[in-house]
Amino acid sequence: MSNRELITAAQCALNPRAVGDRLFGDVGAALVIDRGNRYLGVCIDSGSGTGFCAEHRAIAAMVTAGEYRIRAIVAVWRDQAGRLYVLPPCGRCREFIRRVDPGNLDTQVILGETGSRTLGELLPAHDWPEPLNEQTGAGYVTSDAAPGAGGRRTTCRG
């Protein structure tokens, strides 16, 4: 599936509706898995923080179908003048995509008709960090902890 085809699918999911001062369905998302199955979603904006992004809804549909690995994903929004925009996933969505399946770091995030990046490129600091070398750390001294304290103790220097 080309970027344009996935963008069109996300565009078809758009279904904006105002409810009070909130918008429902004004961002649409589409994703495709390796077997070609496609899943769609729209956002739900809520003032209480219980809403969700369009990518979350598309991923929920995918997981409901027993799928976890995303080949490509895109989200779109149309402004009041009718212009269509491709939206990069927010930080929460990037982390959510990563957590669904470790292989999703290779997911192509569509950023336009010809542009995309892997999730790993958009979320580069995704590995658990290595421990600091306590022997070279400046500003603190590490020593054996008091008996029963279980481990080492760090004393900070002012």
Side-chain angles (χ1 to χ4, degrees):
M1 180 172 280
S2 71
N3 288 10
R4 181 73 228 159
E5 290 170 320
L6 204 56
I7 290 168
T8 299
Q11 178 182 346
C12 290
L14 290 172
N15 190 15
R17 178 175 179 213
V19 178
D21 64 343
R22 301 293 172 192
L23 284 173
F24 292 2
D26 67 320
V27 175
L31 67 84
V32 65
I33 65 167
D34 286 333
R35 291 189 296 180
N37 296 343
R38 189 178 65 197
Y39 299 94
L40 306 175
V42 296
C43 71
I44 301 289
D45 180 20
S46 79
S48 63
T50 58
F52 49 84
C53 296
E55 295 94 330
H56 282 100
R57 175 61 185 99
I59 292 167
M62 175 190 72
V63 169
T64 299
E67 308 284 3
Y68 298 90
R69 178 67 181 86
I70 304 167
R71 180 175 43 180
I73 191 167
V74 68
V76 300
W77 171 74
R78 187 177 300 285
D79 69 13
Q80 290 180 347
R83 294 174 297 222
L84 188 68
Y85 297 82
V86 172
L87 304 177
C90 69
R92 182 174 175 242
C93 286
R94 293 175 195 201
E95 185 63 19
F96 186 65
I97 294 165
R98 178 180 88 87
R99 298 276 178 181
V100 170
D101 187 283
N104 286 340
L105 285 172
D106 295 327
T107 296
Q108 288 296 311
V109 178
I110 306 303
L111 300 172
E113 288 187 350
T114 60
S116 68
R117 296 272 170 85
T118 67
L119 180 64
E121 291 173 311
L122 295 178
L123 189 65
H126 57 270
D127 290 326
W128 189 256
E130 294 293 322
L132 294 174
N133 180 348
E134 293 183 8
Q135 302 303 319
T136 61
Y140 63 88
V141 176
T142 303
S143 61
D144 290 330
R152 298 178 62 78
R153 175 179 57 208
T154 298
T155 304
C156 295
R157 294 186 210 157

